[in-house]
Amino acid sequence: MSLTFVTVVTLCGGIVLYMSVHTNLVNTRSLIEKASIMSTEAINNALGAYITPAFYSVNAIKVYAEEQPTPQSALFRARQTFRGVLFSVQSIDGLVLSLPNGAVWGLRQADNSQDVVIFNPQQTLFEFSRLESIQAQRSQDPFWGDFYASGEDPFATVTSSIEFEGEIIGYISAVITMEGVGSVLAASNGDGLGYQVDGENPTTRFILTDEDRVLAYASPEYNLQGNLLSPLTEFGDPILAKFEESEPQPSSSLARDRGVELHMINYDDDMYLMVLQKLVSPDGEVYLVGEYQPANSRYDEVARLINSVFAGVAIVFLSALIAIFLARRLSSPLKGIAARAQKFGALEFEHLEPLPGSHIREVDQITSAMNASTTGLQSMSRYIPKSLYAKLMASGIDQAAKAKEAELTILFTDIEGFTSLSENRSAGEVADLLNDHFKQLVSAVEAHQGTVDKFVGDGMLAFWGAPNEIENHAQCAISAAEDMVAAIQKANEAAPENALRVRIAIHTGRVIVGNVGAVERWNYTIVGDAVNVCSRLQAVGGTLSSIKGVCVVLSGETVEKAGHTNNITHLGSHAIRGRTGKVEVWQLNSTINGVH
């Protein structure tokens, strides 16, 4: 019961804890994913707002130039737009015009960002033939050119061709510096991004190419602008270096539909949460934009969830301890009640101490009822033979107690001259003498599977073969008589002043055995001629010589049933009162003078 009680309490607490943790985990994961989606979309929007005007501007220059009447005027008009575009578009650091004859002309913002200057870009970067080769690999126009690492100022280009009458007469390339892109990633908190330079949980943002090279980078911890376009493992950021080894965390359909991935990265005993999202440029190129920060920063809910799990486990454990204490308080008296019920089932009513009371009202009521039952059964067992009740229960009391005819072996005892023996004794002394005597007789009967029927004055009636059927009931009765003889002789020697002369008769015959009486008072007993024969056979015993005060006689039917044992002597045929014909009589050798 204790185990069941504790198991139920622990199981219920565990289920509640599991459901709570599962719900909180789902909610926390949902919050993290939504925060991650909002963060990456904010970066994408900021980058789109920064880079997209460069594509539009290059395309606008192309359209404007191609509207001119001649190739010369087209190229001239294109160059004229450079100054206005540089001042109006923040993301464009410079514009370059590349011609088929190898000529390259460029205009870029001055260092003070207040003016523009003419510059001669590296010839190889903007060669006409090189741009033709790149365009052939692109499906859109304008298109991304190659990314270039030039000292500490890497840049990318957005290029579009100028066509006249189906022939390309030049290329316009807009220069976008990665430093400018990095400034977008490191924008202030007021812009919705920012990496919290002064915060305890800084955020690092980055853009990766599809070849896992770092295109743009902004971090409050590492100054790695000079390493742009390097592979992740060589870039210098230890967290990014572990990105390729990490696996995406399970995510919801919302995150998957948005192309958002979450990665947990361990570094130097710290956990970092990395969020990435695919970014498709206007010309179809795919990039990864993302950020990482310590897992205990924006995602403090995870730490709180872990703490709640530990708190929940502690509560469940405490509940289990309390349940164990209460279960033991409850089960202890119930164990006593169960043990008492087992005693009842075994008909062991003697020497039972009263069960202690309980503070639990229902248990106290049960113990009180059990104590009352114990007292009643102890009293009742003194009047109803316990061995008889046990046999009836074992055989099925309804069927076993049903009256039927059966062959049994019957034993009668009687104390010769008991009336004169009791004249000089008090009632209490007489009762004690009889009780000690019957105790010896009952022990012998029960030791040999017999059933005590009743006590009649100073005599006892017992029988073998019912309610439990035994094949050798005659021999069992003889063996019980042998034990009675030994017990009586021993008692007579120990207390000669209380010596008894006992006659015992044993007879085997068919009788009616079962419940006899009224509905309110049944008596399991035997009736029939065989009972009368056994009773009259005692009188024959009184005429025979015996030693040490005991005489045991047996009828011929009993001897025949027992198989003519060697410990008996035939005394001939004797007439008995109330029966025509004579009965063959035998006597136990242990009760005959001179025979052993």
Side-chain angles (χ1 to χ4, degrees), residues 75 98-103 127-129 132 162 167-171:
L75 296 175
S98 303
L99 302 177
N101 61 5
E127 287 181 353
F128 187 88
S129 59
E132 276 188 314
I162 301 175
E167 182 180 354
I168 298 176
I169 60 173
Y171 282 99

Side-chain angles (χ1 to χ4, degrees), residues 93-94 96 98 104 119 121-135 137-138 143-160 171-181 209 211 213-216 224-230 235 287:
D93 188 67
V96 178
S98 303
V104 178
F119 77 107
Q122 296 182 25
Q123 186 74 19
T124 56
L125 300 180
F126 298 97
E127 287 181 353
F128 187 88
S129 59
R130 180 183 180 89
L131 295 176
E132 276 188 314
S133 176
I134 294 174
Q135 184 182 20
Q137 301 173 17
R138 302 292 192 265
F143 58 89
W144 280 109
D146 286 338
F147 296 97
Y148 303 101
S150 176
E152 295 183 357
D153 191 17
F155 63 89
T157 59
V158 177
T159 302
S160 182
Y171 282 99
I172 306 164
S173 299
V175 177
I176 301 176
T177 64
M178 293 299 100
E179 182 180 0
V181 174
T209 68
E211 297 176 350
R213 292 179 179 270
V214 182
L215 181 61
L224 303 173
Q225 294 297 324
N227 297 341
L228 292 175
L229 300 183
S230 299
F235 181 65
Y287 303 94

Side-chain angles (χ1 to χ4, degrees), residues 144-294:
W144 280 109
D146 286 338
F147 296 97
Y148 303 101
S150 176
E152 295 183 357
D153 191 17
F155 63 89
T157 59
V158 177
T159 302
S160 182
S161 61
I162 301 175
E163 298 183 8
F164 195 85
E165 294 180 354
E167 182 180 354
I168 298 176
I169 60 173
Y171 282 99
I172 306 164
S173 299
V175 177
I176 301 176
T177 64
M178 293 299 100
E179 182 180 0
V181 174
S183 66
V184 175
L185 298 179
S188 66
N189 286 325
D191 294 329
L193 297 172
Y195 45 53
Q196 300 179 356
V197 176
D198 299 327
E200 296 180 357
N201 301 297
T203 301
T204 296
R205 295 191 173 88
F206 52 85
I207 301 177
L208 307 179
T209 68
D210 58 355
E211 297 176 350
D212 288 338
R213 292 179 179 270
V214 182
L215 181 61
Y217 183 80
S219 173
E221 295 186 274
Y222 305 104
N223 184 14
L224 303 173
Q225 294 297 324
N227 297 341
L228 292 175
L229 300 183
S230 299
L232 289 178
T233 55
E234 301 175 6
F235 181 65
D237 186 316
I239 311 304
L240 284 179
K242 290 181 172 289
F243 164 64
E244 293 180 331
E245 302 174 2
S246 64
E247 294 291 336
Q249 298 295 309
S251 58
S252 65
S253 58
L254 176 63
R256 292 193 297 269
D257 293 343
R258 302 290 183 91
V260 173
E261 291 183 359
L262 275 69
H263 292 252
M264 302 299 293
I265 297 177
N266 288 304
Y267 174 72
D268 196 21
D269 296 331
D270 290 325
M271 179 72 71
Y272 291 84
L273 183 60
M274 181 180 292
V275 185
L276 302 105
Q277 186 177 26
K278 289 183 179 180
L279 171 67
V280 181
S281 68
D283 69 340
E285 290 295 317
V286 178
Y287 303 94
L288 288 176
V289 298
E291 65 179 22
Y292 72 78
Q293 59 185 175

Side-chain angles (χ1 to χ4, degrees), residues 6-79:
V6 173
T7 301
V8 170
V9 171
T10 305
L11 184 61
C12 292
I15 292 174
V16 172
L17 177 61
Y18 170 78
M19 295 179 63
S20 175
V21 171
H22 179 71
T23 302
N24 290 336
L25 182 61
V26 171
N27 293 338
T28 300
R29 186 182 295 276
S30 177
L31 290 174
I32 291 175
E33 288 182 349
K34 289 179 180 179
S36 302
I37 292 172
M38 292 175 61
S39 178
T40 53
E41 287 186 347
I43 297 174
N44 287 343
N45 293 337
L47 290 173
Y50 184 77
I51 295 175
T52 301
F55 278 83
Y56 290 159
S57 298
V58 171
N59 187 65
I61 295 173
K62 165 190 173 66
V63 172
Y64 177 66
E66 290 177 348
E67 290 177 350
Q68 306 307 312
T70 63
Q72 292 78 13
S73 61
L75 296 175
F76 177 75
R77 294 298 183 186
R79 291 176 59 177

